[in-house]
Amino acid sequence: FEVSQAMVSLEHIRTLPGIINVIQVALGFAALFASCFIWDDTNVAIQLIYKGFGWQTLIIFILFVHWIVNIGILVSSILGRSVLENLDKLRTLIFYAIFLVALIISASLESWYADLSKITPLFNARFITTCIFNWLLVISQIGLIAVTILFDR
């Protein structure tokens, strides 16, 4: 039994954009996990709305959309049908730039909340952790744009 090369291709993961894509999927999951899963002693919950931190829902939404899109790009590339291959370089850069702006907004709001939540120990460590993952996503998105500018068709 032979697996067709057209069905599964791991070549994307071996490229610089592929490596960044895998890193973004991992960072996105870590940011969402830190932001949404609340554990306090033996109580565990998924929290999407925070009292007193209304913008947190927008942050979670941006992180979730970015994560899902990155999973889609990764899976489509592994299956040999990259969703980005139909876009020219300019449209790919615009696509990446839109996510960069959204991630900067998300990271900036999370930075603000990390400072505001000093008096709430349950949220402070969570917001700081999410903030770090958010800024790492911003850096990786800038790297993806730079790689596209320098090396893409």
Side-chain angles (χ1 to χ4, degrees):
F1 179 71
E2 230 178 89
V3 177
S4 169
Q5 184 66 16
M7 287 178 56
V8 178
S9 172
L10 298 179
E11 289 302 313
H12 172 71
I13 296 174
R14 295 181 188 149
T15 65
L16 199 49
I19 293 167
I20 294 171
N21 186 222
V22 170
I23 289 169
Q24 286 187 335
V25 168
L27 288 173
F29 177 79
L32 284 167
F33 184 83
S35 184
C36 296
F37 289 94
I38 306 294
W39 54 94
D40 185 22
D41 292 328
T42 59
N43 298 325
V44 178
I46 296 174
Q47 187 164 354
L48 302 175
I49 299 172
Y50 290 76
K51 184 178 180 181
F53 301 100
W55 290 107
Q56 191 65 28
T57 305
L58 175 65
I59 293 166
I60 293 168
F61 177 76
I62 290 170
L63 290 171
F64 183 73
V65 169
H66 185 259
W67 185 62
I68 290 296
V69 167
N70 272 300
I71 288 175
I73 291 169
L74 182 63
V75 169
S76 72
S77 296
I78 289 172
L79 294 177
R81 295 176 242 139
S82 175
V83 293
L84 296 178
E85 72 184 16
N86 296 331
L87 298 178
D88 61 9
K89 185 175 184 175
L90 179 62
R91 288 184 182 168
T92 301
L93 287 171
I94 291 170
F95 176 76
Y96 290 156
I98 290 168
F99 273 110
L100 177 61
V101 169
L103 288 170
I104 289 171
I105 290 169
S106 173
S108 298
L109 286 170
E110 197 68 54
S111 297
W112 178 47
Y113 279 168
D115 185 50
L116 284 180
S117 66
K118 289 177 189 172
I119 57 172
T120 314
L122 179 64
F123 294 151
N124 188 249
R126 185 168 326 315
F127 289 166
I128 290 171
T129 304
T130 305
C131 178
I132 291 167
F133 286 127
N134 245 313
W135 284 112
L136 289 173
L137 281 167
V138 168
I139 292 167
S140 67
Q141 193 71 17
I142 291 169
L144 193 56
I145 290 170
V147 166
T148 303
I149 289 170
L150 296 174
F151 302 113
D152 203 358
R153 39 184 203 289

